[in-house]
Amino acid sequence: MAEFADVIIDITHEKVDRPFQYRIPESLKALVQAGCQVDVPFGKGNRIRSGYVVGLSDRAEYDISRIKEIAGIHAGSVSAESQLIQVAWWMKERYGSTMNQALKAVLPVKQQVEQQEKRWIRCLLKEEELRQRIEEAAKKKYKARERLLRAFLDADVIPYEMALRTLNLTRSALKPLEEQGVIALDSQAVCRNPARTYLQEDKAALMNGGKVLLNEEQQAVVTDICRQYQAGIRKTYLVHGITGSGKTEIYMELIDHVRRQGKQVILLIPEIALTYQTVLRFCRRFGDQVSFIHSRLSAGEKYDQFERARRGDIQIMIGPRSALFTPFPKLGLIIMDEEHESAYKSEITPRYHAREVARYRAGLSHASLVLGSATPSVESYTRAVQGIYGYYKITKRAKKNSFLPKVQVVDMRQELKEGNRSIFSRSLRSQMEEKLAKKEQVMLFLNRRGYSRFLSCRSCGEAIRCPHCDVTLTLHQNNRLVCHYCGYQIPRPEACPSCGSPYLAPFGTGTQKIEALVRTEFPGARVLRMDLDTTSGKGGHEAILAAFAEHEADILIGTQMIVKGHDFPAVTLVGILAADLSLYAPDYRCGERTFQLLTQAAGRAGRDEKPGDVVIQTYSPDHYCIETAAAQDYESFYKQEMAYRKMLHYPPACVMMTLLIGAPEEETAAAAMALAAGVTANYELSVIGPVNAPIYKLNDIYRKILYMKCENYDILIKIRNQMEEGLKEGGYGGRIGVQFDFLS
Ligand code: ADP
Ligand code: ZN
Ligand code: ZN
């Protein structure tokens, strides 16, 4: 047993960003381990502070008589596996944060959870009666009631709050059902396993429930990965399967295989795709072996789920980014669905990418990592091409008679030329009319991600770009066009620099405006709109999606929120109103994002047996991102995108490190940045800037940014460390904010 423990004091400050050595008293020797939260005397006054044990040793690092002793173990603390501490250490090194910040991202926080009363809705009917009631409700078009009753086919009890939220029910809708003896409202002490509540009594049946027979393509992937797993091979795999190709079924088989070996599994899903439908699918298959976390859980609830994982009460954890830190002692597999999603990148320190951390953790735990996507990130696909990742491609939809939709690209410049100034092309309009007449559903998609105001020409389709950086210039309030990378700026031109046309306008239409237009142009249609405005209230986006899935509306208008999660079998037409919107964001990844969004949006059409159609409206029909998305041709998109990245030295052709420095005085920010930027002179790498950050003044802080590109990650880390040193020595310590970010 170790004599000494390295302890990090639990405050976020650079000065304590190193472990202090403490002696472990005899009475605690059996208890102290890496990850423990302990109380220790600290500083001159020996005030008792709390800290984390991040290492153990038998040797004193300095004069033994001066080493203080641990005062006690923090009551109720989770001692995370030393692996997680190692993960934290690695994150600190790679992304630049204090060990405390890294530990806070990795270790669950214990919090007092008050024993709150929770309510449940219990179904009092036998199955036959229930089915009868469902039929009645359907006949009378009591949509909300029908939804609730249908949910009872899967579960006897449903949490009250969830029912209101995800099934779009109102309190008054429940009243009559209660009076008629259909349901009862129960109160009981809090039961913090979200999964258990979906369970029916017959667990055995559930454990095998929801299983489908895999098709040949699916089975081939499962067989190969399982064979390697069996042979002790652990690696990273990329499953590249088109939308609806049955990737989720593949995950379930893999999970089952690994679970049967006594190992545990983490499945990462972007929060927006983690819907009630998905939850039910996994509960049916895995019963109470599975648990979920999401951002709406309180810290205490999350802690409980992690505790259950640590104790081995559950074997499968499903959730967004932070589920990666589930303290499973026998982790055997990590799966990352929709691996290309930007939500996997943390935008708070440590600014880690879950894909990279997942690889590291998998390595430590001797686990495999499976990445899945219909539109893999350029980074992952590159590794697959290089043979670093195993690679599987699935080209067919899983459901019989379901095929990829037919895609038509409409040139909006031509529409204008021929006198159509509407936001609907003639083709989209006529197809909408046709589908609505057949009582099929339509989705209208406004591609707004990465949206910023830029100027584009309605005649030739050109967007005005920076001559140095190949990104669009952003239109500012003072009527100047500014490059957010290099600072280049020009006054707003009167005419198009390419063709001289005066039809030069800021791009972009809001979803609200589109809704109004749809209502006037298609007066008979029932319209739902989904964007930040309509989803922020109670009910949220799930309620809207549920209503649309129940065919309570004919047309759903939305932003990227609508492309994830739900299956809408009756949607046969997807209209993409302005494919260019995300194409000209001031970011080197905007082409990739556009391709992903268009492909994913198109994949919403024709999920069932009725064939699907997609109309992509654009001012740049010849742009490779739009052409390849329309052709659903990933390989050719990748080839062109990678050529562009190589030419301009953007990741993954190299690693990009950004340094952001902020200070309340402009001069301080500039001087500190100049000092830091000086470090780059000693290295061979390409540097852009320093320039003013895209948002130069934020909360009265002036921000400067520097971009550094290099093929070698380690060199960038060296530069970062040197910059941090230099700034400290230069006396900038507490006067500026410093933030490093890595893109690789
Ligand atoms: P993805 O995750 O690739 O989008 P899913 O796993 O959600 O695809 O599958 C899409 C649809 O096809 C789902 O409704 C699913 O139940 C169905 N499905 C998947 N695999 C099969 C199969 N082997 N046989 C029949 N239906 C399947
Ligand atoms: Zn520029
Ligand atoms: Zn022009």
Side-chain angles (χ1 to χ4, degrees):
M1 261 174 275
E3 298 286 323
F4 303 99
D6 295 326
V7 175
I8 284 201
I9 306 301
D10 182 19
I11 45 174
T12 304
H13 192 284
E14 289 175 344
K15 292 242 169 58
V16 291
D17 185 15
R18 65 181 179 90
F20 294 90
Q21 205 172 35
Y22 284 89
R23 192 204 309 277
I24 307 172
E26 212 56 46
S27 61
L28 295 179
K29 272 197 178 144
L31 299 170
V32 169
Q33 52 175 331
C36 268
Q37 202 175 354
V38 289
D39 288 327
V40 291
F42 188 72
K44 290 224 172 60
N46 280 336
R47 215 152 59 83
I48 294 293
R49 305 282 291 266
S50 124
Y52 292 106
V53 175
V54 295
L56 297 167
S57 61
D58 290 321
R59 235 190 40 224
E61 264 161 25
Y62 53 100
D63 180 7
I64 288 198
S65 65
R66 284 173 50 217
I67 294 183
K68 298 172 190 172
E69 201 164 73
I70 290 175
I73 292 188
H74 218 267
S77 78
V78 174
S79 90
E81 298 308 314
S82 63
Q83 277 180 7
L84 282 174
I85 301 271
Q86 281 183 67
V87 168
W89 190 270
W90 181 83
M91 284 166 65
K92 157 195 141 81
E93 291 290 304
R94 188 171 172 96
Y95 301 107
S97 72
T98 66
M99 187 61 182
N100 275 303
Q101 288 169 322
L103 286 168
K104 276 188 182 132
V106 161
L107 297 175
V109 188
K110 167 98 173 165
Q111 264 189 6
Q112 202 57 45
V113 181
E114 66 289 6
Q115 285 285 313
Q116 70 208 116
E117 287 284 301
K118 256 199 184 154
R119 279 192 289 176
W120 307 90
I121 309 172
R122 188 155 47 88
C123 180
L124 301 173
L125 302 180
K126 294 248 160 32
E127 181 171 336
E128 206 162 298
E129 245 179 309
L130 179 59
R131 291 196 186 275
Q132 221 170 336
R133 287 275 182 166
I134 292 173
E135 233 167 81
E136 272 173 38
K139 244 186 237 147
K140 292 187 182 152
K141 297 218 185 309
Y142 291 158
K143 291 286 186 180
R145 182 177 300 184
E146 189 191 336
R147 268 203 299 275
L148 174 68
L149 295 174
R150 276 194 193 283
F152 283 130
L153 289 175
D154 292 312
D156 286 340
V157 289
I158 294 175
Y160 184 79
E161 292 300 325
M162 192 202 67
L164 291 190
R165 196 174 65 233
T166 64
L167 299 170
N168 201 12
L169 287 170
T170 57
R171 277 154 223 270
S172 55
L174 296 180
K175 257 264 162 61
L177 290 176
E178 202 180 359
E179 284 164 6
Q180 292 162 26
V182 174
I183 57 165
L185 296 185
D186 291 353
S187 288
Q188 61 185 78
V190 65
C191 158
R192 277 187 259 135
N193 175 3
R196 185 175 307 258
T197 60
Y198 305 115
L199 284 182
Q200 282 176 318
E201 256 125 41
D202 189 0
K203 265 187 204 160
L206 267 168
M207 294 295 279
N208 297 315
K211 218 172 150 168
V212 303
L213 202 60
L214 296 189
N215 64 32
E216 234 170 81
E217 282 192 304
Q218 290 170 311
Q219 191 59 53
V221 177
V222 171
T223 305
D224 199 46
I225 294 179
C226 290
R227 182 184 52 74
Q228 296 188 29
Y229 199 88
Q230 209 63 31
I233 298 168
R234 301 288 183 273
K235 60 190 266 187
T236 303
Y237 306 92
L238 174 60
V239 178
H240 181 184
I242 60 166
T243 50
S245 60
K247 294 184 291 298
T248 310
E249 297 297 333
I250 292 176
Y251 304 153
M252 290 205 263
E253 280 301 315
L254 293 175
I255 291 170
D256 208 29
H257 180 83
V258 169
R259 189 178 60 100
R260 283 170 197 279
Q261 324 259 316
K263 297 290 182 128
Q264 296 154 334
V265 184
I266 294 170
L267 169 60
L268 302 179
I269 296 185
E271 183 131 35
I272 195 156
L274 189 57
T275 59
Y276 185 62
Q277 280 182 344
T278 315
V279 168
L280 269 185
R281 250 170 114 178
F282 282 94
C283 286
R284 275 200 206 107
R285 179 77 183 261
F286 297 109
D288 55 7
Q289 298 278 296
V290 61
S291 182
F292 301 83
I293 57 169
H294 53 78
S295 65
R296 290 187 302 267
L297 291 184
S298 70
E301 287 171 318
K302 189 172 158 190
Y303 173 87
D304 274 13
Q305 295 315 314
F306 275 10
E307 250 317 74
R308 298 177 65 229
R310 207 173 58 81
R311 285 197 309 258
D313 294 355
I314 54 163
Q315 312 304 329
I316 305 154
M317 179 65 89
I318 300 179
R321 203 169 65 212
S322 63
L324 189 51
F325 306 119
T326 307
F328 275 134
K330 288 181 292 183
L331 184 63
L333 175 67
I334 303 174
I335 300 173
M336 208 171 163
D337 192 26
E338 313 276 5
E339 65 90 28
H340 61 277
E341 269 293 311
S342 54
Y344 283 126
K345 171 90 164 40
S346 168
E347 293 305 338
I348 51 170
T349 309
R351 303 166 72 83
Y352 66 93
H353 197 297
R355 198 195 302 122
E356 294 173 337
V357 180
R359 262 199 105 192
Y360 182 75
R361 182 157 189 216
L364 284 180
S365 312
H366 195 53
S368 277
L369 171 62
V370 171
L371 310 171
S373 175
T375 52
S377 63
V378 172
E379 289 81 359
S380 294
Y381 191 75
T382 300
R383 295 213 166 104
V385 169
Q386 292 168 341
I388 300 170
Y389 295 173
Y391 178 74
Y392 304 98
K393 179 148 193 193
I394 313 174
T395 53
K396 286 198 290 288
R397 283 203 164 159
K399 276 191 190 163
K400 277 211 192 72
N401 302 322
S402 165
F403 302 99
L404 279 176
K406 220 166 75 233
V407 183
Q408 183 198 359
V409 176
V410 176
D411 185 347
M412 293 305 277
R413 298 169 303 185
Q414 198 58 31
E415 293 287 315
L416 179 70
K417 247 185 223 160
E418 294 175 23
N420 177 16
R421 281 160 182 262
S422 153
I423 59 159
F424 300 107
S425 60
R426 291 158 297 178
S427 171
L428 178 57
R429 186 195 311 267
S430 70
Q431 290 206 48
M432 282 173 73
E433 278 160 2
E434 201 180 295
K435 303 290 185 190
L436 292 174
K438 283 198 280 187
K439 300 253 175 302
E440 295 171 2
Q441 285 180 299
V442 177
M443 282 169 93
L444 293 179
F445 175 62
L446 189 68
N447 194 3
R448 279 185 73 126
R449 175 176 261 163
Y451 170 77
S452 78
R453 276 166 66 84
F454 61 91
L455 274 188
S456 78
C457 173
R458 295 293 153 93
S459 300
C460 75
E462 284 290 312
I464 301 183
R465 308 171 81 82
C466 172
H468 309 296
C469 305
D470 200 29
V471 296
T472 46
L473 297 174
T474 302
L475 182 62
H476 281 220
Q477 301 261 304
N478 60 4
N479 255 339
R480 290 183 75 78
L481 292 169
V482 180
C483 172
H484 280 175
Y485 274 18
C486 74
Y488 171 86
Q489 46 175 293
I490 49 168
R492 177 180 177 160
E494 297 290 316
C496 171
S498 306
C499 77
S501 158
Y503 293 111
L504 208 55
F507 214 97
T509 324
T511 40
Q512 242 165 327
K513 204 164 144 197
I514 289 168
E515 183 186 3
L517 282 168
V518 171
R519 285 188 192 279
T520 46
E521 300 211 18
F522 302 91
R526 297 164 300 164
V527 183
L528 270 176
R529 170 167 64 91
M530 190 161 125
D531 54 26
L532 278 179
D533 294 338
T534 56
T535 55
S536 54
K538 203 174 62 48
H541 77 281
E542 282 222 32
I544 296 176
L545 292 175
F548 190 61
E550 300 291 334
H551 214 144
E552 285 167 40
D554 306 300
I555 303 175
L556 176 64
I557 303 167
T559 54
Q560 57 270 12
M561 286 175 164
I562 66 177
V563 307
K564 290 282 145 51
H566 275 243
D567 243 349
F568 301 110
V571 171
T572 54
L573 174 63
V574 170
I576 294 159
L577 293 170
D580 311 61
L581 266 187
S582 64
L583 199 51
Y584 298 120
D587 179 340
Y588 71 87
R589 285 165 303 188
C590 63
E592 180 180 4
R593 296 254 158 86
T594 302
F595 176 83
Q596 285 163 353
L597 280 168
L598 295 184
T599 311
Q600 302 269 355
R604 298 272 101 199
R607 298 276 281 198
D608 218 15
E609 300 202 353
K610 283 177 223 142
D613 285 287
V614 178
V615 176
I616 299 180
Q617 301 190 157
T618 174
Y619 289 93
S620 352
D622 306 325
H623 193 286
Y624 68 91
C625 290
I626 291 181
E627 272 187 335
T628 54
Q632 316 255 326
D633 183 353
Y634 181 88
E635 281 75 20
S636 115
F637 155 76
Y638 174 80
K639 247 192 215 150
Q640 298 181 66
E641 181 67 20
M642 206 49 210
Y644 159 77
R645 304 273 179 108
K646 276 190 181 139
M647 191 172 72
L648 291 167
H649 286 290
Y650 283 127
C654 71
V655 185
M656 182 151 106
M657 174 170 80
T658 63
L659 163 63
L660 186 74
I661 290 184
E665 315 86 30
E666 215 167 351
E667 312 80 63
T668 313
M673 180 53 99
L675 182 74
V679 172
T680 59
N682 306 324
Y683 295 90
E684 215 169 289
L685 76 167
S686 78
V687 179
I688 310 179
V691 291
N692 295 344
I695 306 170
Y696 182 38
K697 196 174 167 188
L698 188 68
N699 291 331
D700 287 320
I701 299 288
Y702 291 90
R703 293 142 37 103
K704 293 270 180 190
I705 196 161
L706 182 69
Y707 301 88
M708 289 148 279
K709 296 187 284 189
C710 182
E711 267 152 44
N712 190 333
Y713 208 117
D714 295 337
I715 290 181
L716 289 173
I717 287 182
K718 225 160 131 190
I719 293 174
R720 182 197 68 206
N721 293 342
Q722 230 174 312
M723 286 177 164
E724 280 178 340
E725 289 278 289
L727 288 170
K728 228 179 274 171
E729 277 168 23
Y732 287 102
R735 297 196 293 143
I736 56 169
V738 178
Q739 181 188 295
F740 287 94
D741 200 0
F742 289 86
L743 297 160
S744 57

